[in-house]
Amino acid sequence: MRYCEKVAHSNFDKLQDWYRAYKKNPELDLQREHQISFDLEHPMDRTKFNTNQHLIIVGSASDNELALNVDYWKSKGISIAFIPYRIYTIGGDSYFEFFSLPYDQHHNPKEAKGVLFDTNLSYIREGIWYMCV
C-alpha cells in the first residue's frame, strides 16, 4: 500500500527516472521498454502511464486474516487481488506453490488431518498406485 501511495500521483517522467535508476541505465526509455514487454504495435502515450493501479497481494494461503482484509478493500472499491502461496515438503524436498486465479478458498493446510485425492477408481482400477508412486 505504501508503494502505491508513493507512485499514485507520479507522472511519466518520474516513473522513467525510477525505472532508469532501478535498471542502472540512464539511457533506457520506459515507453519503448513497455512497448516491447507487452508486445504492443505502437508505444503507449506517455499520458496514459499510471492512470490506474491494481494491487496484487502475494501472501500465505494459511493467512486467513490477510484474505479477509483483501476482501474488505475490494468491497471499498480498491482494485486489489490476493494470490495465495504455500510451502510444503514431500519426501524431504520443499515446494513453493502459487494458487491460480480464480482460486478456491482452502482451509489452512497445516490444520489438515489427511490428504484427499481422486483415485479415478471408476476408470482405472489400479490408478491409485500410479498416483502414489
Side-chain angles (χ1 to χ4, degrees):
M1 291 290 236
R2 272 183 257 135
Y3 172 78
C4 288
E5 290 170 5
K6 179 180 176 181
V7 301
H9 304 288
S10 299
N11 64 19
F12 177 84
D13 292 328
K14 186 64 177 171
L15 294 173
Q16 181 159 267
D17 288 344
W18 284 332
Y19 181 68
R20 288 174 173 173
Y22 175 76
K23 296 295 266 183
K24 298 180 177 131
N25 183 343
E27 303 300 317
L28 285 177
D29 181 340
L30 178 59
Q31 196 175 21
R32 176 75 178 130
E33 295 295 317
H34 178 268
Q35 178 186 5
I36 292 167
S37 293
F38 290 97
D39 196 24
L40 302 176
E41 186 175 339
H42 304 286
M44 188 167 76
D45 189 87
R46 290 174 173 232
T47 62
K48 301 291 183 191
F49 279 79
N50 204 28
T51 57
N52 292 307
Q53 292 184 3
H54 180 71
L55 301 173
I56 299 175
I57 307 297
V58 178
S60 172
S62 65
D63 191 342
N64 296 328
E65 186 175 340
L66 179 57
L68 289 173
N69 288 337
V70 169
D71 288 341
Y72 169 78
W73 287 112
K74 276 185 194 176
S75 76
K76 299 300 179 191
I78 303 291
S79 181
I80 188 169
F82 176 56
I83 307 290
Y85 70 85
R86 67 179 171 172
I87 299 171
Y88 56 95
T89 304
I90 298 176
D93 293 326
S94 294
Y95 297 89
F96 180 84
E97 173 184 42
F98 285 107
F99 291 76
S100 298
L101 289 175
Y103 60 87
D104 296 330
Q105 278 300 116
H106 296 282
H107 293 288
N108 189 335
K110 71 180 180 183
E111 296 171 0
K113 300 290 183 199
V115 176
L116 176 68
F117 55 90
D118 183 356
T119 62
N120 199 24
L121 184 64
S122 300
Y123 301 101
I124 304 172
R125 184 126 185 96
E126 299 299 314
I128 186 173
W129 305 117
Y130 171 79
M131 294 170 61
C132 291
V133 174

